[in-house]
Amino acid sequence: MLHDGDGQIISVRSLAYNMRIQDIAHHLNARLEPHDIDLDIHGVATIDEATAQDITFLTNAKYLPKIKTSAAGAIIVSETFAADGLTMPLVRVAYPDLAFAQAIELFHPQSRPQADIHPTAVLGQEVKLGQNVFIGPYVVIGDRVTIGDNVVIHAHCAIYDDAAIGADSIIHSHVALREAVKVGARVIIHNGTVIGADGFRFVPLQDGSFHKVPQPGTVVLEDDVEVQAISAIDRATLGVTRIGRGSKIDDLVQVGHNSTIGQHALLCGQVGLAGSTEIGNHVVLAGKVGASGHLTIGDGAMAGAGSGIVQSVAPGTQVSGYPAIEHRLWLKIVATIKQLPDIAKRLRKLEKRLGAETHESVD
């Protein structure tokens, strides 16, 4: 896989094999134009970087002018794309974004280590292992841990007592799963993430010190959740901190104790949720959104980058700003803020003129 200086994928090429364009179209459930084209494809690339042996893609209309100068051998487009004057073979699909991801998977399949338990791994008592499990170097697994079939646990992970990991999950290096944490099937947890550390809750005392509130609760990650690198999901004080099925959590995200995230929600980088935040299904929180806790963000709501949510958000609402308000109103406020220096200048002139007129009337 090659990247440009901004981290954008330039191309994904397989050194192992090529594929006929007809086979790619069949795999993507696509309609090929012309249907009888004979072409070998070596990889996936952007419009700018593609060669005659690459397939490229168009998912954003702003790149439309570049297509006619692209050297790509073929292009993934929508079913309704107007190909006026374009001679390049077309791979027509219902969802180009999805087809692009599937095409990368064809040429860059994810490898999986073969089943093995490294001799440096330490397993506690009454550990239950499924079939075809990989446990890497220096992994430490506590007592009474349950690990499902086809689970991969990479090096230097710590799995505390009574934790459970569902089938086909992947735990990357330096992850910590604390005591009694439950991880569902097909979950991916990336490097350095901590699931189930104590929630941040202390009682202030009269002498100015703090008394720690015990955190005997746990965390449940439901099936198909993905948590990316160096994130933290705190265990509940009592009960469960829950991440719903299919939700995706970006790098450097903090989920406070007793919070609940619904199904298929997206939490982008540096989102922070204080304790007892309740997030519905299909919610999107952009980067650096913060929620003050003990509030609800309804199904389908969206919060713009940097928003500070201090009160509950109704389902389907788009909010932005600090404190977060309705998105369109926030845009108007931002537009007004840009005009404030000019408004202040005009106001000073007006005050000066009114002051002069008042002085003349007194005289």
Side-chain angles (χ1 to χ4, degrees):
M1 184 179 296
L2 304 177
H3 296 76
D4 64 13
D6 297 324
Q8 181 182 2
I9 295 173
I10 294 175
S11 63
V12 182
R13 296 185 175 89
S14 169
L15 300 179
Y17 60 91
N18 304 326
M19 292 190 68
R20 296 174 66 246
I21 188 66
Q22 287 88 349
D23 295 332
I24 295 174
H26 177 75
H27 181 84
L28 300 181
N29 194 27
R31 177 162 53 91
L32 183 61
E33 295 180 3
H35 70 276
D36 58 350
I37 186 71
D38 186 16
L39 178 64
D40 283 341
I41 296 296
H42 297 188
V44 183
T46 64
I47 293 173
D48 288 333
E49 300 294 331
T51 71
Q53 286 75 46
D54 292 322
I55 187 169
T56 190
F57 58 99
L58 179 68
T59 59
N60 191 324
K62 74 178 183 179
Y63 296 112
L64 191 59
K66 294 186 177 183
I67 294 178
K68 294 182 180 180
T69 60
S70 176
I75 185 168
I76 298 169
V77 296
S78 69
E79 292 175 338
T80 58
F81 174 73
D84 300 336
L86 191 64
T87 59
M88 185 185 302
L90 305 178
V91 179
R92 292 191 179 274
V93 294
Y95 302 103
D97 283 321
L98 175 60
F100 161 62
Q102 292 171 332
I104 290 179
E105 291 169 358
L106 285 175
F107 290 96
H108 198 71
Q110 294 294 312
S111 62
R112 184 197 183 282
Q114 294 185 353
D116 185 36
I117 299 177
H118 195 275
T120 61
V122 178
L123 276 64
Q125 299 179 2
E126 301 179 45
V127 174
K128 297 180 181 179
L129 295 179
Q131 297 181 354
N132 199 33
V133 169
F134 173 83
I135 300 176
Y138 302 103
V139 170
V140 178
I141 296 178
D143 297 338
R144 300 173 300 280
V145 171
T146 300
I147 298 174
D149 295 343
N150 306 312
V151 167
V152 173
I153 304 176
H154 287 285
H156 294 280
C157 289
I159 315 298
Y160 283 44
D161 295 348
D162 302 301
I165 303 173
D168 300 299
S169 292
I170 300 173
I171 313 298
H172 287 283
S173 63
H174 296 279
V175 166
L177 300 183
R178 291 284 298 271
E179 55 272 22
V181 162
K182 309 301 180 188
V183 173
R186 300 173 302 279
V187 170
I188 302 174
I189 305 176
H190 290 271
N191 310 74
T193 286
V194 179
I195 309 294
D198 285 0
F200 190 73
R201 191 167 184 183
F202 301 87
V203 177
L205 303 180
Q206 290 182 344
D207 64 0
S209 64
F210 296 93
H211 182 84
K212 180 180 176 64
V213 177
Q215 304 291 294
T218 189
V219 175
V220 173
L221 306 185
E222 296 184 356
D223 296 348
D224 302 301
V225 166
E226 183 162 354
V227 184
Q228 297 197 246
I230 321 179
S231 290
I233 301 175
D234 290 349
R235 67 192 312 105
T237 304
L238 296 171
V240 175
T241 300
R242 183 178 298 274
I243 311 299
R245 182 187 182 102
S247 287
K248 313 299 181 186
I249 295 177
D250 199 0
D251 300 337
L252 299 169
V253 169
Q254 159 72 27
V255 178
H257 62 85
N258 290 93
S259 292
T260 299
I261 297 173
Q263 297 182 7
H264 306 291
L266 289 177
L267 274 63
C268 300
Q270 300 184 46
V271 163
L273 305 181
S276 300
T277 299
E278 184 174 344
I279 292 179
N281 301 326
H282 304 284
V283 168
V284 177
L285 304 182
K288 295 189 176 181
V289 169
S292 61
H294 296 276
L295 53 79
T296 299
I297 302 174
D299 292 351
M302 300 178 67
S307 299
I309 300 175
V310 297
Q311 60 185 8
S312 292
V313 177
T317 304
Q318 296 185 28
V319 297
S320 293
Y322 185 86
I325 58 175
E326 197 274 328
H327 178 66
R328 279 186 250 180
L329 176 58
W330 174 250
L331 291 179
K332 292 178 181 178
I333 291 172
V334 170
T336 302
I337 289 174
K338 294 178 180 179
Q339 301 175 41
L340 286 180
D342 182 59
I343 292 173
K345 183 178 179 180
R346 288 156 50 194
L347 181 59
R348 285 193 294 269
K349 288 182 177 179
L350 180 60
E351 289 175 336
K352 186 176 181 179
R353 189 179 72 187
L354 290 175
E357 291 176 355
T358 302
H359 181 71
E360 289 175 0
S361 70
V362 172
D363 292 342

